[in-house]
Amino acid sequence: MKNILSANWIKSPKLSQECEICYTKQFSTEKEVKNASLEITSLGTYVARINGNRVGDQVMTPGWTAYRKRLQVETYDVTDMIGAENKISVGVGPGWKGRYFTGNERCAEYFLGVRETALICALAIEYADGTEEVIVTDDTWVTELGKNVYSDLYNGYKYDPLYVDPKPMDAVVFPKDTNILIDRDGEKIIEQERLEAKEIIITPKGETVIDFGQNMTGYVEFKVKGNKGEVVTIEHAEVLDAGGNFYRDNLRSAKAKAEFVCDGEEHIHKPDHTFFGFRYIRLTGWSDEIKKENFTAIVVHSDMKRTGHFECSDARLNKLYSNIIWGQKGNYLDVPTDCPQRDERLGWTGDAQVFIKAAAYNYDVERFFLKWLADLRADQRPWGTIPHVIPDIFDCDENSSAAWADAATVCPWQIYLSYGNKELIETSLQSMKDYIEYIEMQSRDGIWCKSWHFGDWLNLDASDVGKCDIGTDKDLIATAYYIYSSNILIKAMKLCGEDTAEQEAKRETSILAFRREFMADGRIKPEFATQTACVLAVHFGISDNIAETAAQLNELVTECGHLKTGFVGTPYLLHALTDNGYAETAYSLILREEYPSWLFSVKMGATTVWEHWDSLREDGSMWSTDMNSFNHYAYGAVADWMYGDMAGINVDENNPAYKNIIFKPVTDSRLDWVKASVDTRMGTVASEWKKADGKTVYIFTVPVGSTATAYLPDGEHVLKCGVNEITV
Ligand code: BGC
């Protein structure tokens, strides 16, 4: 990035917050072009064309960052697109407008105090004779209202191919420094897969609905002709209701609608500035015959490389695993989001941190998180708080919630463990320290007691379904998380060669306070005893008698026969059991298919992981009409147990990035075989076990350059590089 620094920010003189603005510039070249590159970014999402041809294959550019401080610039090689007479045109839509819940004025300001969309770009042309020319955005560019006559991330869009702005106007240059411009640091956002329509359904209400067979994130490409002036619409939904009718109440205020104004000509069309979370679409206003082949769902997400694979002898678990993968695809579209469909789609820190370990097995998420963590640091307040969502469009700075804000420690550390990125730890260290210091200010005698928290979000301890955050004591959760994050900070400081004595002393104070306040005789006191409370005391190593607290956890689970945990307890529940001799209970939980369980949604036909254990109930009713996403990856965190315990593939904290591999597979009589593999920085790591003649055959693959140990029922086995087969 260099030429863009001499370009100007331009916008349309028309106040236009909810449509696309098209910026154009014509120019001619008389000499032979040797090289041409376009540096570009926008406030809003842009689609650039030169002489009618789309520049690059990325969508939803420039992605979503902490716009006030960081805006990504892409550089495209456009050498082959330049001719003698040229027209560059850039359509800019609102995209990730700084708005949450349609109509929330507090967030309606665009980025950086600008309410309208805006563009900045520079086209540099190097001629064969050695001369150079740079065309930059300035007031000679023309602006028109674009053919996306309505455009909104949540509501969708209306596209009119015949629309021509009757009054194009010169662009207005406005002052805005270029300090926020950075080269793209995230993954590209790319169209990844194309899904054919599975079925055309005429619902009991008589509506025409197409089922793509998979809940996903992206948009529909469709072929349409229609009669001139006719408006065809496509609305998006994740599920059908109990009566088999199109259901979209759970999208809340997001209209998630595509409208196309027919001109009587045949078009193949897809949107430019939005995406949807859906499995079904409802068609209205179509006079064309509805044919399956005219509709294709295009899956869009960040261009991460798939690294992990898991399979076992139980088809239901394989389906759960597939649902988790789809959850990641659907919610890793530039920012790790809670859900991709309703009027939210935000980078909720809690969701991101509970899922990151699973995510890093499934895909190479290093670059994806380097970007998001840069945004987290950019949005962190000087006094240490981490906003609930990153990028922070809530403008929330007074409070950090335990288990959400801990993304500041958990996420960098996981990226370090999975990929060995020590530089990220160095870069994140101050942010971690500031956050921990904020907690210490919010604590009294080692108990983090002064902040508001989301608690064990969506747990089943509270009898009142509407009370999502009631259940496990919030000070207990917060203090446990302080200890967990302190553990990470101490490891990070050690890695950076810093003295940790003071931090260790503070952590010790909290550990003792936790035990004093919430525990007695190695058990969580009865008034605080929930599954999640035990899970945290065990998994974060806080209890002074881990075996006893784990036994209490096992009792709590076996007494009621199922899990009751929410966002905070669920990710570690099976680990806490398996690590302490209760693998059979852990397996019973993951193999259970009655509500509440992971397999309940699978039994109910889910193709992604749900927000609630009972988003859809057996009788066909819904958890609620509002907060009810069918594509929420948080509970999909269990995939890290599937890789790490069922298949037994683990990194060694002291020698990360799979330089030393710890294989610890845990078998169960209800499964015949399990196999998994992960493509790591060292090469492919694989683990497999299968039952044969009353014995278990283990097969481990260790990449060249790695060391590995397998911990099996008969003891430790030091493995060699290549394939190792051991029968026990
Ligand atoms: C989101 C969650 C998020 C939560 C905060 C919800 O609306 O969808 O996933 O973490 O708010 O508790």
Side-chain angles (χ1 to χ4, degrees), residues 309-325:
H309 295 273
F310 172 93
E311 217 186 328
C312 70
S313 54
D314 190 318
R316 300 166 310 162
L317 290 183
N318 296 337
K319 182 63 183 165
L320 171 67
Y321 174 75
S322 155
N323 293 357
I324 294 168
I325 292 289

Side-chain angles (χ1 to χ4, degrees), residues 13-146:
K14 296 177 188 169
L15 196 64
S16 46
Q17 293 182 51
E18 288 189 327
C19 69
E20 180 187 48
I21 297 291
C22 197
Y23 301 80
T24 53
K25 169 83 183 172
Q26 305 209 13
F27 63 96
S28 42
T29 53
E30 277 156 19
K31 299 183 273 187
E32 190 193 334
V33 175
K34 188 176 156 213
N35 196 33
S37 68
L38 176 68
E39 293 173 6
I40 182 169
T41 192
S42 58
L43 297 180
T45 48
Y46 69 82
V47 173
R49 290 188 168 81
I50 295 178
N51 301 326
N53 299 313
R54 190 170 173 140
V55 176
D57 60 352
Q58 301 177 46
V59 298
M60 296 302 291
T61 42
W64 193 17
T65 42
Y67 289 132
R68 290 187 181 95
K69 300 190 182 127
R70 291 162 30 83
L71 184 61
Q72 301 184 107
V73 173
E74 187 66 59
T75 304
Y76 300 95
D77 181 347
V78 294
T79 313
D80 296 342
M81 302 179 87
I82 309 288
E85 292 304 318
N86 301 286
K87 181 175 174 181
I88 171 162
S89 62
V90 186
V92 181
W96 280 281
K97 192 169 176 171
R99 184 171 70 169
Y100 170 68
F101 296 147
T102 307
N104 182 343
E105 265 304 305
R106 193 169 71 91
C107 300
E109 177 182 284
Y110 215 128
F111 331 110
L112 313 154
V114 179
R115 292 174 82 97
E116 306 91 338
T117 54
L119 174 71
I120 185 166
C121 71
L123 175 65
I125 305 173
E126 207 186 310
Y127 294 106
D129 66 4
T131 55
E132 223 183 79
E133 184 182 4
V134 183
I135 295 160
V136 296
T137 37
D138 57 21
D139 57 10
T140 64
W141 286 57
V142 175
T143 72
E144 305 164 67
L145 301 179

Side-chain angles (χ1 to χ4, degrees), residues 100-101 252 337-339 342 344-346 348-352 388-389 394 401 404 452-455 457-458 468-469 567 611 627 629 632 634:
Y100 170 68
F101 296 147
R252 303 196 295 220
T337 53
D338 55 336
C339 57
R342 68 182 177 217
E344 203 152 356
R345 315 183 190 180
L346 302 174
W348 280 98
T349 46
D351 308 44
H388 300 323
V389 298
F394 289 172
S401 168
W404 270 252
W452 182 89
H453 305 282
F454 290 110
W457 191 245
L458 309 187
C468 309
D469 59 337
F567 273 37
E611 181 173 22
M627 209 182 64
S629 150
H632 237 72

Side-chain angles (χ1 to χ4, degrees), residues 325-339:
I325 292 289
W326 276 100
Q328 184 164 353
K329 291 183 196 180
N331 284 295
Y332 274 35
L333 198 163
D334 211 38
V335 162
T337 53
D338 55 336
C339 57

